[in-house]
Amino acid sequence: MSTPILICDDSGFARRQMARSIPDGWDVEISFAGNGQEALEVIRAGKGDVVFLDLNMPVMDGYETMEAIRKEDLPCLVIVVSGDVQAQARERMLALGAIDFIRKPIDNEKLTNILSSYGIYSGISTAVQREAVARDTDASSLDDKLDAYREMVNIAMGRAGESLAQLMGEFVDLPIPNVNLLESNELSMAIAEINRNDCVSAVSKGFVSAGIRGEALVIFNDTNSQNIVELLKYDAHQSTGSLELEALMDVSNILIGACLNGLSEQLNVSFSHTLPVLLGRHQGLAALLNDNVKKWGKVMAIEIGYAIKARDIAFDLLLLFPDEAMNHIYGRLVDVEREAS
Protein backbone atom coordinates (compact mmCIF):
# COMPACT_ATOMS: atom_id res chain seq x y z
CA MET A 1 0.00 0.00 0.00
CA SER A 2 1.34 3.40 -0.99
CA THR A 3 2.23 5.94 1.69
CA PRO A 4 0.58 9.33 1.05
CA ILE A 5 3.21 12.03 1.41
CA LEU A 6 2.94 15.79 1.05
CA ILE A 7 5.67 18.18 -0.07
CA CYS A 8 4.85 21.71 1.02
CA ASP A 9 7.06 24.49 -0.34
CA ASP A 10 6.29 27.76 -2.12
CA SER A 11 8.98 27.01 -4.73
CA GLY A 12 8.22 24.64 -7.58
CA PHE A 13 11.96 24.15 -8.04
CA ALA A 14 12.28 23.11 -4.38
CA ARG A 15 9.28 20.76 -4.66
CA ARG A 16 10.89 19.00 -7.61
CA GLN A 17 14.18 18.70 -5.74
CA MET A 18 12.41 17.22 -2.73
CA ALA A 19 10.46 14.77 -4.87
CA ARG A 20 13.65 13.60 -6.53
CA SER A 21 15.15 12.99 -3.08
CA ILE A 22 12.49 10.45 -2.12
CA PRO A 23 14.35 7.12 -1.68
CA ASP A 24 14.19 4.72 -4.61
CA GLY A 25 11.80 1.90 -3.90
CA TRP A 26 9.66 3.76 -1.36
CA ASP A 27 6.06 3.20 -2.49
CA VAL A 28 4.53 6.65 -2.17
CA GLU A 29 1.70 8.76 -3.51
CA ILE A 30 2.94 12.35 -3.68
CA SER A 31 0.84 15.49 -3.23
CA PHE A 32 2.11 19.07 -3.39
CA ALA A 33 1.21 22.34 -1.67
CA GLY A 34 2.56 25.86 -2.17
CA ASN A 35 1.83 27.14 1.33
CA GLY A 36 0.62 25.99 4.72
CA GLN A 37 -3.04 26.70 4.05
CA GLU A 38 -3.01 24.38 1.04
CA ALA A 39 -1.05 21.81 3.05
CA LEU A 40 -3.67 21.67 5.80
CA GLU A 41 -6.38 20.94 3.23
CA VAL A 42 -4.32 18.06 1.82
CA ILE A 43 -3.60 16.64 5.29
CA ARG A 44 -7.26 16.84 6.33
CA ALA A 45 -8.11 14.92 3.16
CA GLY A 46 -5.86 12.06 4.31
CA LYS A 47 -3.17 12.65 1.67
CA GLY A 48 -0.31 13.63 3.96
CA ASP A 49 0.70 10.85 6.37
CA VAL A 50 4.27 12.14 6.01
CA VAL A 51 4.76 15.88 5.43
CA PHE A 52 7.92 17.60 4.22
CA LEU A 53 7.38 21.18 5.35
CA ASP A 54 9.23 24.38 4.42
CA LEU A 55 9.35 27.30 6.88
CA ASN A 56 9.41 30.53 4.84
CA MET A 57 6.23 30.63 2.75
CA PRO A 58 3.50 33.16 1.90
CA VAL A 59 -0.10 32.94 3.14
CA MET A 60 0.77 30.54 6.00
CA ASP A 61 4.37 29.76 6.92
CA GLY A 62 5.78 26.58 8.40
CA TYR A 63 5.47 27.73 12.01
CA GLU A 64 1.80 28.62 11.60
CA THR A 65 1.17 25.35 9.77
CA MET A 66 2.81 23.30 12.50
CA GLU A 67 0.79 25.11 15.15
CA ALA A 68 -2.43 24.31 13.25
CA ILE A 69 -1.43 20.65 12.86
CA ARG A 70 -0.82 20.43 16.60
CA LYS A 71 -4.01 22.30 17.53
CA GLU A 72 -6.18 20.08 15.32
CA ASP A 73 -4.18 16.94 16.23
CA LEU A 74 -3.91 16.03 12.56
CA PRO A 75 -2.52 12.52 11.93
CA CYS A 76 0.79 13.18 10.17
CA LEU A 77 4.52 13.00 10.73
CA VAL A 78 6.25 16.28 9.87
CA ILE A 79 9.85 16.62 8.72
CA VAL A 80 10.96 20.24 8.31
CA VAL A 81 12.96 20.92 5.15
CA SER A 82 14.27 24.49 5.24
CA GLY A 83 17.04 26.86 4.34
CA ASP A 84 16.62 28.47 7.78
CA VAL A 85 18.90 26.31 9.91
CA GLN A 86 19.13 28.50 13.00
CA ALA A 87 19.17 26.51 16.24
CA GLN A 88 16.17 28.51 17.46
CA ALA A 89 14.16 27.58 14.34
CA ARG A 90 14.93 23.89 14.84
CA GLU A 91 14.08 23.98 18.54
CA ARG A 92 10.80 25.81 17.92
CA MET A 93 9.60 23.34 15.27
CA LEU A 94 10.61 20.27 17.27
CA ALA A 95 8.76 21.69 20.28
CA LEU A 96 5.66 22.05 18.10
CA GLY A 97 5.83 18.37 17.17
CA ALA A 98 8.01 18.01 14.06
CA ILE A 99 10.00 14.76 14.20
CA ASP A 100 13.14 16.08 12.51
CA PHE A 101 14.74 18.95 10.63
CA ILE A 102 16.72 18.80 7.37
CA ARG A 103 18.59 21.70 5.81
CA LYS A 104 18.33 22.53 2.13
CA PRO A 105 19.66 21.41 -0.29
CA ILE A 106 18.62 17.88 0.66
CA ASP A 107 21.20 15.36 1.79
CA ASN A 108 19.65 12.17 0.38
CA GLU A 109 21.55 9.88 2.72
CA LYS A 110 20.45 11.84 5.79
CA LEU A 111 16.86 11.82 4.57
CA THR A 112 16.92 8.05 4.12
CA ASN A 113 18.44 7.56 7.58
CA ILE A 114 15.74 9.72 9.20
CA LEU A 115 12.95 7.86 7.42
CA SER A 116 14.47 4.51 8.38
CA SER A 117 15.02 5.49 12.01
CA TYR A 118 11.32 6.28 12.43
CA GLY A 119 10.23 3.11 10.61
CA ILE A 120 8.72 5.14 7.79
CA TYR A 121 10.90 3.60 5.08
CA SER A 122 12.23 0.04 5.25
CA GLY A 123 14.56 0.17 2.28
CA ILE A 124 12.72 -2.69 0.60
CA SER A 125 12.49 -2.07 -3.12
CA THR A 126 9.06 -1.85 -4.76
CA ALA A 127 7.85 -0.60 -8.10
CA VAL A 128 7.09 3.10 -7.94
CA GLN A 129 5.74 5.39 -10.62
CA ARG A 130 7.83 8.56 -10.98
CA GLU A 131 6.35 10.31 -14.01
CA ALA A 132 4.57 12.95 -11.93
CA VAL A 133 7.75 13.67 -10.01
CA ALA A 134 9.90 14.39 -13.03
CA ARG A 135 7.27 15.90 -15.28
CA ASP A 136 8.44 19.52 -15.14
CA THR A 137 12.09 19.03 -14.18
CA ASP A 138 13.30 20.78 -17.31
CA ALA A 139 10.93 23.73 -17.06
CA SER A 140 12.73 26.79 -18.35
CA SER A 141 10.21 29.64 -18.67
CA LEU A 142 11.09 32.99 -17.13
CA ASP A 143 8.80 32.31 -14.17
CA ASP A 144 10.48 28.92 -13.63
CA LYS A 145 13.90 30.54 -13.72
CA LEU A 146 12.90 33.26 -11.27
CA ASP A 147 11.49 30.57 -9.00
CA ALA A 148 14.78 28.66 -9.16
CA TYR A 149 16.78 31.83 -8.42
CA ARG A 150 14.49 32.62 -5.47
CA GLU A 151 14.94 29.14 -4.00
CA MET A 152 18.72 29.32 -4.50
CA VAL A 153 18.86 32.60 -2.60
CA ASN A 154 16.43 31.32 0.04
CA ILE A 155 18.93 28.59 0.93
CA ALA A 156 21.90 30.96 0.88
CA MET A 157 19.92 33.45 2.97
CA GLY A 158 19.37 30.74 5.57
CA ARG A 159 23.11 30.09 5.83
CA ALA A 160 23.72 33.80 6.34
CA GLY A 161 20.97 34.01 8.93
CA GLU A 162 22.48 31.11 10.85
CA SER A 163 25.91 32.78 10.91
CA LEU A 164 24.39 36.07 12.00
CA ALA A 165 22.37 34.40 14.76
CA GLN A 166 25.53 32.73 16.08
CA LEU A 167 27.42 36.04 16.05
CA MET A 168 24.70 38.03 17.77
CA GLY A 169 23.11 35.37 19.96
CA GLU A 170 19.63 36.36 18.76
CA PHE A 171 17.02 34.81 16.48
CA VAL A 172 17.08 36.38 13.00
CA ASP A 173 13.77 36.72 11.16
CA LEU A 174 14.15 35.66 7.54
CA PRO A 175 11.80 36.81 4.75
CA ILE A 176 10.90 35.36 1.38
CA PRO A 177 13.53 36.81 -1.00
CA ASN A 178 12.25 39.41 -3.45
CA VAL A 179 13.58 38.64 -6.97
CA ASN A 180 13.15 41.02 -9.91
CA LEU A 181 14.57 41.48 -13.41
CA LEU A 182 15.13 45.19 -13.96
CA GLU A 183 16.66 47.73 -16.31
CA SER A 184 19.22 50.10 -14.76
CA ASN A 185 16.73 52.99 -14.60
CA GLU A 186 14.21 50.72 -12.85
CA LEU A 187 16.92 49.58 -10.43
CA SER A 188 17.21 53.10 -9.03
CA MET A 189 13.51 53.13 -8.22
CA ALA A 190 13.63 49.61 -6.78
CA ILE A 191 16.52 50.54 -4.50
CA ALA A 192 14.60 53.58 -3.31
CA GLU A 193 11.68 51.31 -2.40
CA ILE A 194 13.90 49.01 -0.34
CA ASN A 195 14.85 51.58 2.24
CA ARG A 196 12.95 54.83 2.72
CA ASN A 197 15.11 56.12 5.58
CA ASP A 198 16.71 59.54 5.21
CA CYS A 199 20.16 58.34 6.26
CA VAL A 200 21.73 54.95 5.60
CA SER A 201 25.16 53.37 5.42
CA ALA A 202 26.15 50.74 2.87
CA VAL A 203 28.92 48.21 2.34
CA SER A 204 29.66 46.61 -1.04
CA LYS A 205 31.51 43.44 -2.04
CA GLY A 206 31.99 42.01 -5.55
CA PHE A 207 32.32 38.35 -6.49
CA VAL A 208 33.03 36.29 -9.62
CA SER A 209 33.38 32.67 -10.80
CA ALA A 210 32.67 30.53 -13.87
CA GLY A 211 31.04 33.29 -15.89
CA ILE A 212 28.99 34.42 -12.90
CA ARG A 213 29.70 37.83 -11.46
CA GLY A 214 27.77 40.06 -9.15
CA GLU A 215 27.78 42.51 -6.31
CA ALA A 216 26.45 42.22 -2.77
CA LEU A 217 25.32 45.33 -0.89
CA VAL A 218 24.38 45.52 2.78
CA ILE A 219 22.27 48.57 3.58
CA PHE A 220 21.93 49.72 7.19
CA ASN A 221 19.46 52.18 8.62
CA ASP A 222 21.64 54.53 10.66
CA THR A 223 19.25 54.38 13.62
CA ASN A 224 20.20 50.68 13.99
CA SER A 225 23.94 51.22 14.33
CA GLN A 226 24.14 51.70 18.10
CA ASN A 227 21.85 48.72 18.71
CA ILE A 228 24.19 46.54 16.65
CA VAL A 229 27.23 47.79 18.57
CA GLU A 230 25.57 46.98 21.89
CA LEU A 231 24.59 43.52 20.70
CA LEU A 232 28.13 42.71 19.54
CA LYS A 233 29.59 43.89 22.89
CA TYR A 234 32.60 45.69 21.44
CA ASP A 235 35.29 47.34 23.54
CA ALA A 236 33.71 50.59 24.71
CA HIS A 237 37.10 52.38 24.82
CA GLN A 238 36.86 53.14 21.10
CA SER A 239 34.98 56.17 19.79
CA THR A 240 31.33 55.73 18.91
CA GLY A 241 32.04 56.34 15.21
CA SER A 242 34.82 53.73 15.13
CA LEU A 243 32.65 51.17 16.92
CA GLU A 244 29.77 51.69 14.52
CA LEU A 245 32.03 51.38 11.48
CA GLU A 246 33.59 48.19 12.84
CA ALA A 247 30.14 46.75 13.52
CA LEU A 248 28.90 47.53 9.99
CA MET A 249 31.97 45.95 8.38
CA ASP A 250 31.85 42.84 10.61
CA VAL A 251 28.16 42.20 10.04
CA SER A 252 28.55 42.80 6.29
CA ASN A 253 31.51 40.42 6.02
CA ILE A 254 29.69 37.64 7.85
CA LEU A 255 26.39 38.16 6.06
CA ILE A 256 27.86 38.38 2.55
CA GLY A 257 30.43 35.64 3.14
CA ALA A 258 27.88 33.13 4.45
CA CYS A 259 25.43 33.97 1.67
CA LEU A 260 28.08 33.52 -1.05
CA ASN A 261 29.17 30.24 0.53
CA GLY A 262 25.57 29.08 0.29
CA LEU A 263 25.46 30.07 -3.38
CA SER A 264 28.80 28.33 -4.03
CA GLU A 265 27.54 25.10 -2.51
CA GLN A 266 24.45 25.02 -4.71
CA LEU A 267 26.17 26.08 -7.94
CA ASN A 268 29.27 23.96 -7.36
CA VAL A 269 31.57 26.93 -7.97
CA SER A 270 34.09 28.82 -5.86
CA PHE A 271 33.68 32.59 -5.85
CA SER A 272 36.59 35.02 -5.70
CA HIS A 273 35.67 37.98 -3.49
CA THR A 274 36.80 41.59 -3.61
CA LEU A 275 37.57 43.33 -0.35
CA PRO A 276 34.50 44.95 1.24
CA VAL A 277 34.13 48.64 0.47
CA LEU A 278 32.26 51.19 2.55
CA LEU A 279 30.18 53.07 -0.02
CA GLY A 280 29.28 55.78 2.46
CA ARG A 281 27.64 56.63 5.76
CA HIS A 282 24.83 58.88 6.89
CA GLN A 283 23.60 59.62 3.36
CA GLY A 284 20.44 59.25 1.35
CA LEU A 285 20.32 55.83 -0.32
CA ALA A 286 19.88 57.14 -3.88
CA ALA A 287 22.95 59.40 -3.63
CA LEU A 288 25.02 56.73 -1.92
CA LEU A 289 24.36 54.09 -4.60
CA ASN A 290 24.15 56.34 -7.64
CA ASP A 291 27.50 55.33 -9.17
CA ASN A 292 26.86 51.64 -8.58
CA VAL A 293 23.47 51.74 -10.29
CA LYS A 294 24.85 53.46 -13.41
CA LYS A 295 27.23 50.60 -14.23
CA TRP A 296 24.44 48.02 -14.54
CA GLY A 297 22.34 47.32 -17.63
CA LYS A 298 19.63 44.72 -17.25
CA VAL A 299 20.05 43.13 -13.85
CA MET A 300 18.59 40.51 -11.56
CA ALA A 301 18.09 42.24 -8.22
CA ILE A 302 17.47 40.10 -5.14
CA GLU A 303 16.51 41.84 -1.93
CA ILE A 304 16.56 40.15 1.48
CA GLY A 305 15.40 42.02 4.57
CA TYR A 306 16.95 40.64 7.75
CA ALA A 307 15.55 41.60 11.15
CA ILE A 308 16.34 41.00 14.80
CA LYS A 309 13.02 42.11 16.19
CA ALA A 310 13.98 41.65 19.83
CA ARG A 311 16.62 44.38 19.38
CA ASP A 312 14.81 46.60 16.87
CA ILE A 313 17.49 45.92 14.24
CA ALA A 314 16.82 45.63 10.51
CA PHE A 315 19.03 45.78 7.44
CA ASP A 316 18.87 44.72 3.80
CA LEU A 317 21.11 42.49 1.71
CA LEU A 318 20.88 43.30 -2.00
CA LEU A 319 22.40 40.89 -4.54
CA LEU A 320 22.87 42.19 -8.09
CA PHE A 321 23.60 39.92 -11.06
CA PRO A 322 24.04 41.32 -14.60
CA ASP A 323 21.97 39.93 -17.45
CA GLU A 324 24.72 37.69 -18.85
CA ALA A 325 25.22 35.94 -15.52
CA MET A 326 21.63 34.74 -15.20
CA ASN A 327 21.76 31.97 -17.82
CA HIS A 328 25.02 30.74 -16.31
CA ILE A 329 23.35 30.54 -12.90
CA TYR A 330 20.31 28.68 -14.17
CA GLY A 331 22.47 26.28 -16.19
CA ARG A 332 24.56 25.47 -13.10
CA LEU A 333 21.42 24.90 -11.01
CA VAL A 334 19.96 22.49 -13.57
CA ASP A 335 23.28 20.63 -13.95
CA VAL A 336 23.64 20.18 -10.19
CA GLU A 337 20.01 19.05 -9.90
CA ARG A 338 20.53 16.44 -12.63
CA GLU A 339 23.75 15.17 -11.07
CA ALA A 340 21.99 14.79 -7.72
CA SER A 341 19.25 12.72 -9.28
Side-chain angles (χ1 to χ4, degrees):
M1 183 177 177
S2 299
T3 300
I5 71 170
L6 168 63
I7 297 172
C8 179
D9 199 298
D10 60 314
S11 166
F13 187 81
R15 293 194 295 270
R16 292 195 299 273
Q17 286 186 317
M18 183 66 238
R20 284 183 171 276
S21 298
I22 299 300
D24 292 336
W26 187 19
D27 188 1
V28 296
E29 179 182 345
I30 304 176
S31 297
F32 300 96
N35 58 64
Q37 190 174 89
E38 294 176 2
L40 291 174
E41 294 175 3
V42 175
I43 297 167
R44 291 175 186 132
K47 297 181 180 180
D49 286 6
V50 179
V51 179
F52 298 99
L53 182 65
D54 186 27
L55 288 183
N56 295 323
M57 297 180 291
V59 184
M60 180 180 282
D61 65 22
Y63 299 109
E64 295 167 325
T65 306
M66 197 69 230
E67 288 171 353
I69 289 171
R70 183 178 184 177
K71 182 178 180 180
E72 296 182 37
D73 195 22
L74 296 176
C76 61
L77 298 175
V78 177
I79 298 173
V80 179
V81 182
S82 177
D84 185 354
V85 290
Q86 296 177 73
Q88 297 95 323
R90 176 185 177 88
E91 291 166 4
R92 181 178 172 187
M93 289 302 285
L94 293 179
L96 286 170
I99 64 172
D100 220 315
F101 198 108
I102 302 176
R103 72 163 63 206
K104 295 179 178 180
I106 300 296
D107 181 328
N108 290 3
E109 183 177 353
K110 181 176 181 180
L111 173 62
T112 300
N113 289 339
I114 290 172
L115 294 172
S116 299
S117 68
Y118 286 97
I120 300 171
Y121 168 64
S122 66
I124 300 173
S125 179
T126 57
V128 183
Q129 296 298 316
R130 294 291 183 184
E131 285 84 352
V133 172
R135 184 180 301 150
D136 61 348
T137 300
D138 296 321
S140 57
S141 70
L142 178 58
D143 286 343
D144 291 312
K145 289 182 178 180
L146 289 176
D147 179 59
Y149 300 145
R150 189 177 296 108
E151 177 60 15
M152 172 191 72
V153 174
N154 182 55
I155 294 172
M157 173 189 75
R159 300 291 191 275
E162 180 187 25
S163 296
L164 204 59
Q166 291 172 349
L167 172 70
M168 295 187 162
E170 294 281 354
F171 180 75
V172 179
D173 284 275
L174 303 179
I176 298 169
N178 185 19
V179 181
N180 291 291
L181 293 180
L182 303 166
E183 299 292 342
S184 58
N185 61 325
E186 296 173 317
L187 180 58
S188 298
M189 292 183 286
I191 288 175
E193 286 295 318
I194 288 172
N195 196 315
R196 297 175 180 272
N197 296 286
D198 292 335
C199 286
V200 299
S201 300
V203 176
S204 169
K205 193 171 189 177
F207 53 92
V208 62
S209 180
I212 300 170
R213 68 181 179 93
E215 183 173 1
L217 304 169
V218 184
I219 303 166
F220 298 90
N221 177 359
D222 280 353
T223 59
N224 295 159
S225 299
Q226 186 56 39
N227 291 355
I228 296 174
V229 169
E230 292 174 1
L231 194 56
L232 293 176
K233 300 177 181 177
Y234 286 148
D235 183 356
H237 291 93
Q238 300 181 57
S239 68
T240 299
S242 296
L243 286 173
E244 290 183 357
L245 178 57
E246 183 177 351
L248 299 187
M249 298 303 287
D250 284 350
V251 170
S252 297
N253 266 323
I254 290 171
L255 197 63
I256 295 173
C259 191
L260 291 182
N261 285 341
L263 295 180
S264 296
E265 178 185 346
Q266 296 174 79
L267 298 172
N268 196 22
V269 299
S270 180
F271 286 113
S272 297
H273 304 188
T274 64
L275 292 174
V277 176
L278 180 68
L279 295 182
R281 299 179 65 191
H282 314 308
Q283 299 181 42
L285 185 60
L288 192 150
L289 299 181
N290 187 52
D291 290 339
N292 279 54
V293 170
K294 287 179 178 178
K295 71 182 181 183
W296 299 95
K298 191 171 184 179
V299 63
M300 178 169 67
I302 303 170
E303 184 258 331
I304 307 163
Y306 289 91
I308 303 175
K309 293 181 179 178
R311 300 283 185 154
D312 193 28
I313 294 172
F315 42 85
D316 294 282
L317 174 62
L318 182 65
L319 297 174
L320 302 174
F321 296 93
D323 189 19
E324 67 270 15
M326 290 184 285
N327 287 333
H328 287 290
I329 292 172
Y330 188 73
R332 297 293 299 186
L333 286 171
V334 171
D335 288 345
V336 171
E337 183 184 22
R338 286 172 175 164
E339 290 170 6
S341 63

